[in-house]
Amino acid sequence: MITFSKLIRPSLPDDCIYDILQHLRGDRSTLYTCLFVNHFWCSCVVPLLWCQPFSSFRCWALIVRTYIYCLDNSALASLIPFNIYIPTTYKPLFTYERYLEAFSISDMENGIITWLRINTETRIRSDDDRIRPIMNAFWHMFLNRCRNLASININTGYGTSDLPELDVFLNARPGLSKLRSLDCCIGHKSDEISNYQNTMNLLRNWPVQSSNLTKMWVSVYEDRITPNDLISSIVKAQRNLKEFKFAGIGTFTQNVISALKHHAHSLTSLKLWMLVLDGISFDGLVSLEKLESLDIQWCEGISIDHCFALSDASFNLTSLSIWDNPSSPDITATLIIKAGKSLKDLKTDMITKEMIDVANKYCPNITHLCIKIKNENYVYFFPWIKNLKLEHLDFFSHEDDASDGIRLLGEYIPPTVIYLNLDYATYTPRSFNYFLNVCEANIITMIIRFSKELIDGCFEDILEFARRKRCMRTLAFICTPICWMEWSEKELELIEDMKKCNVKVVKSISRKF
């Protein structure tokens, strides 16, 4: 007979543990605790923590210090003339630099400034002459040692430093050859062009450096510093572009839009933001047979002719965003008709009776809805959404007080909604309590704005809602840094009660939590 003491605890194979840990990407706090389980877990977790290290601004100084320790002797020697003190006694346990997959240049620069400030106990200006040498040393290390560098964010202007000289990129292996994502903001002014010659040289030579981008986001804020064919030549050089965003200004908008036809068989997502579209032809978009997502925001000059051109396209949109464009409701309605039954995700601030009639007739399969609405259109809007099988709902309001809308939302919200964002609406605690009492939806994630009045008047009702529904898992309060407050003792007690209901309470300045 086998006694209890002789039983062997079952253990998962290493391959299973590895796969499970991969699903924790982005959850830095949980990954950190996993470091200390054993050597195998640690070896699996370190690459996950260091694939996008600069995404955690709280750790910038530590990250920069660790990368400095990873520099080779020649790189360290290049920093000596700039009086940068680097202890040589510490040797990193891992080759952390090899795990880098994505980073933002501005985040890296801010990290260096933070490290210098802590290391020297002095205030550091953005033009400090020690920043550039450290950035150049990091670039040289990343370009030659990273085997999976897939995404970078390049940002000129706003006090950021220029990139290293072009030869550093041309002579590096693997360099940028494995890059899959480029987010580039050309934000400097024409009188600052001399400060960013290296960056512009890299972009001019980009077709030679990298042709495997699947995602490309480009923002240009002064057309005089950008050659007419700069962006379009990069677009044409890519083999399999799937996601493209173009924002800003420029006389070359037509060139860029026309270049997209080179990706007629691959492009699935297109974002056009803050563009002047007067006189711009959309004929180049008609051939995008794989397009699934179209996002047009803050654009001037969009006309019904643009919509008619897209009506002849063969693509089937599953996601459509028409937001804050000075245009007529007919434009939104025409694009909704084009999307038809395939449309699942709709974002629009053009909520009118005509738009709702069109959506009700042609788009019965919407599951994700983001809207901005006026009080006068409640009478059309709420009966419409009641019959939808919505899962995600973002509720914005044009009004200073959306309390009536919040009460009506409680009565009409579909029971299928599992994600609700009310952060962009202002309402009274009384109206929100009414919403909680009549809401039949099994909400898993709820996002609301942070205000002392709302917390004092509604926290206990939210707790009762969580107990009654037994489905909520995340409650997020979104606030700006200026109105950030610590939790009171009573609120901390309620948060503990929420934890007993398996609800995580988050207070954040962003919607990434």
Side-chain angles (χ1 to χ4, degrees), residues 380-395:
Y380 315 115
F381 173 74
F382 287 110
W384 169 53
I385 66 165
K386 187 174 184 179
N387 297 318
L388 292 175
K389 295 181 179 180
L390 285 182
E391 297 175 4
H392 285 220
L393 176 61
D394 295 86
F395 186 86

Side-chain angles (χ1 to χ4, degrees), residues 49-94:
L49 286 172
W50 285 85
C51 64
Q52 298 186 54
F54 291 104
S55 62
S56 177
F57 70 90
R58 293 183 179 88
C59 302
W60 276 349
L62 174 62
I63 292 161
V64 170
R65 185 185 70 181
T66 303
Y67 277 144
I68 286 178
Y69 288 142
C70 293
L71 294 173
D72 59 27
N73 290 334
S74 62
L76 291 172
S78 71
L79 302 180
I80 294 175
F82 298 94
N83 296 319
I84 300 173
Y85 172 70
I86 302 166
T88 57
T89 56
Y90 176 77
K91 296 297 181 182
L93 296 175
F94 295 88

Side-chain angles (χ1 to χ4, degrees), residues 71 79 113 128 135-136 165 181 184 212 215 231 258 277 291 318-319 350 399 415 434 450 479:
L71 294 173
L79 302 180
I113 292 173
D128 190 291
M135 290 192 70
N136 288 349
E165 294 183 354
S181 174
C184 176
N212 295 313
K215 176 183 176 182
I231 307 303
S258 298
L277 298 174
L291 193 67
T318 59
S319 177
M350 194 66 70
E399 313 297 339
Y434 179 82
F450 178 86
C479 64

Side-chain angles (χ1 to χ4, degrees), residues 139-426:
W139 267 111
H140 190 274
M141 177 173 66
F142 294 152
L143 291 171
N144 286 281
R145 298 194 211 170
C146 292
R147 293 296 177 261
N148 297 300
L149 184 57
S151 175
I152 61 172
N153 182 313
I154 297 174
N155 188 356
T156 72
Y158 315 109
T160 55
S161 299
D162 197 10
L163 297 180
E165 294 183 354
L166 183 61
D167 285 348
V168 173
F169 294 89
L170 294 177
N171 297 327
R173 296 292 182 276
L176 302 177
S177 62
K178 295 189 176 182
L179 211 65
R180 295 295 180 268
S181 174
L182 170 66
D183 188 345
C184 176
C185 175
I186 305 174
H188 61 273
K189 305 298 183 183
S190 55
D191 59 357
E192 299 175 322
I193 188 68
S194 61
N195 297 332
Y196 298 99
Q197 290 288 359
N198 294 342
T199 302
M200 300 307 292
N201 286 338
L202 174 64
L203 293 175
R204 291 186 189 98
N205 283 270
W206 194 274
V208 177
Q209 289 287 303
S210 173
S211 59
N212 295 313
L213 295 178
T214 58
K215 176 183 176 182
M216 181 177 173
W217 287 17
V218 181
S219 303
V220 180
Y221 293 106
E222 186 166 337
D223 55 358
R224 287 181 294 172
I225 50 89
T226 309
N228 250 0
D229 61 347
L230 177 66
I231 307 303
S232 57
S233 64
I234 298 176
V235 171
K236 292 176 183 178
Q238 306 313 307
R239 298 190 181 102
N240 193 35
L241 196 61
K242 295 181 178 180
E243 183 177 344
F244 183 72
K245 185 185 85 171
F246 184 44
I249 62 173
T251 56
F252 45 84
T253 299
Q254 186 65 72
N255 287 353
V256 174
I257 290 179
S258 298
L260 293 176
K261 64 185 178 183
H262 289 266
H263 301 282
H265 306 302
S266 63
L267 198 70
T268 60
S269 174
L270 174 62
K271 302 177 188 289
L272 302 175
W273 289 7
M274 296 180 287
L275 299 174
V276 178
L277 298 174
D278 289 304
I280 302 298
S281 171
F282 274 10
D283 290 346
L285 307 182
V286 175
S287 62
L288 304 179
E289 60 183 44
K290 299 293 185 180
L291 193 67
E292 298 175 357
S293 175
L294 177 62
D295 184 348
I296 303 176
Q297 299 193 44
W298 309 295
C299 289
E300 297 181 10
I302 184 171
S303 68
I304 199 68
D305 290 336
H306 291 119
C307 300
F308 287 152
L310 295 178
S311 296
D312 295 330
S314 60
F315 55 70
N316 294 310
L317 295 178
T318 59
S319 177
L320 175 64
S321 177
I322 307 294
W323 194 266
D324 208 8
N325 304 295
S327 57
S328 71
D330 292 343
I331 291 174
T332 302
T334 303
L335 291 174
I336 287 175
I337 293 172
K338 164 59 185 169
K341 292 182 179 180
S342 63
L343 188 66
K344 295 183 178 180
D345 187 343
L346 176 63
K347 177 180 179 180
T348 180
D349 61 344
M350 194 66 70
I351 298 293
T352 63
K353 181 180 184 303
E354 292 74 21
M355 175 253 135
I356 291 172
D357 288 343
V358 166
N360 189 46
K361 180 178 180 180
Y362 293 95
C363 307
N365 299 315
I366 295 174
T367 58
H368 292 58
L369 183 63
C370 177
I371 57 94
K372 191 173 184 180
I373 189 171
K374 296 179 179 179
N375 290 354
E376 62 199 54
N377 291 313
Y378 289 163
V379 65
Y380 315 115
F381 173 74
F382 287 110
W384 169 53
I385 66 165
K386 187 174 184 179
N387 297 318
L388 292 175
K389 295 181 179 180
L390 285 182
E391 297 175 4
H392 285 220
L393 176 61
D394 295 86
F395 186 86
F396 293 61
S397 176
H398 286 282
E399 313 297 339
D400 293 334
D401 185 358
S403 297
D404 290 342
I406 296 298
R407 281 189 284 265
L408 288 168
L409 182 61
E411 297 173 5
Y412 284 90
I413 188 170
T416 51
V417 171
I418 59 175
Y419 173 99
L420 178 64
N421 180 9
L422 301 176
D423 174 38
Y424 289 101
T426 303

